[in-house]
Amino acid sequence: MKVLMVLTSHDELGDTGHKTGFWLEELAAPYYAFIDKGVEIVLASPKGGLPPLDPTSDKEDFQTDSTRRFTADEQAQALLANTHKLASINVAEYDAVFYPGGHGPLWDLTNDKDSIALIEACYKTDKLLGLVCHAPGVLKYPKKPDGSPLVAGKNVTGFTNGEEEAVQLTNVVPFLVEDMLQQNGATYSKGEDWHPYAVVDGKLITGQNPASSELVAEKMLALLS
């Protein structure tokens, strides 16, 4: 089996002067959930090459067994340093697609034409699509063949308004994931802030926060097998 993981190339946290990017746990936890089951992983990003890591996610407070393993894993680090350009990806070559979050995707992947086309292709070909934390934000613009929002009528979750408030970025992000999903006609649900919570609706699997990353991967693996 072969899974594509799509990472952000965006590193500016609005106009705060701070850096953002992808969230380490949201890449590392699913990466090993897949790798340890013999799944081949390919990494892609809009610009290709080394994607920006959210520096906060690299702090000691946010380290897990998976993040420490990933940081020390030469093969994983080589993959990360050489992500494929998203425009070069043929989704037909993959069994599933997974989007880690971090705040970065809200700025670039949400509006990226290649990402939008990739997600729409997943929907049309009934391919498994997993997204965690802020990554469900990239579902803002993809449409169904009839022109309606892809998430309309779908059961989903994603980073909560309460969690965004807790990290004090409500007025920095371009939009709130929870609000956007509901505005696009999705049936949004959530668990407790910062606790693992994931929702499966057909081939669409969404997770609420970093703690939900591995859970999303496990639910994807169950459907793949």
Side-chain angles (χ1 to χ4, degrees):
M1 283 189 294
K2 195 171 176 183
V3 172
L4 175 70
M5 299 182 81
V6 182
L7 294 156
T8 181
S9 292
H10 184 87
D11 71 349
E12 297 292 333
L13 190 60
D15 53 11
T16 63
H18 296 295
K19 292 295 185 184
T20 189
F22 73 90
W23 195 263
L24 182 56
E25 182 182 2
E26 295 171 32
L27 171 62
Y31 177 86
Y32 288 114
F34 292 131
I35 288 281
D36 291 346
K37 288 287 192 292
V39 176
E40 181 186 349
I41 296 291
V42 173
L43 301 181
S45 63
K47 293 181 180 177
L50 181 66
L53 171 67
D54 186 313
T56 303
S57 75
D58 206 24
K59 290 181 177 175
E60 185 54 39
D61 287 358
F62 298 105
Q63 298 312 298
T64 65
D65 290 345
S66 294
T67 63
R68 284 185 278 268
R69 181 180 172 190
F70 192 86
T71 303
D73 185 335
E74 289 181 11
Q75 188 175 356
Q77 291 299 316
L79 266 184
L80 183 63
N82 296 284
T83 67
H84 296 258
K85 280 194 175 175
L86 196 50
S88 72
I89 294 295
N90 176 9
V91 73
E93 296 173 6
Y94 300 90
D95 296 292
V97 177
F98 184 97
Y99 279 74
H103 283 89
L106 296 183
W107 277 275
D108 67 343
L109 288 170
T110 295
N111 306 291
D112 186 273
K113 64 179 176 49
D114 298 309
S115 177
I116 293 167
L118 180 80
I119 290 166
E120 290 177 344
C122 283
Y123 182 84
K124 286 175 192 164
T125 58
D126 205 29
K127 198 174 294 286
L128 207 54
L129 175 64
L131 315 96
V132 70
C133 197
H134 285 89
V138 309
L139 299 171
K140 184 174 184 180
Y141 294 118
K143 300 275 195 284
K144 297 174 184 174
D146 68 4
S148 63
L150 188 139
V151 296
K154 290 280 188 185
N155 295 298
V156 297
T157 189
F159 205 59
T160 72
N161 290 353
E163 288 166 332
E164 201 68 83
E165 186 65 37
V167 297
Q168 300 181 317
L169 292 172
T170 300
N171 298 318
V172 172
V173 292
F175 61 90
L176 295 169
V177 175
E178 177 178 338
D179 287 355
M180 179 279 292
L181 291 168
Q182 293 182 91
Q183 287 159 5
N184 275 13
T187 301
Y188 177 90
S189 62
K190 57 189 173 186
E192 285 184 67
D193 284 358
W194 312 117
H195 287 256
Y197 183 77
V199 173
V200 178
D201 190 326
K203 296 292 181 72
L204 178 65
I205 301 95
T206 47
Q208 180 177 316
N209 47 35
S212 311
S213 309
E214 190 169 357
L215 182 59
V216 172
E218 287 169 353
K219 290 183 180 297
M220 290 176 72
L221 283 163
L223 288 168
L224 282 168
S225 62

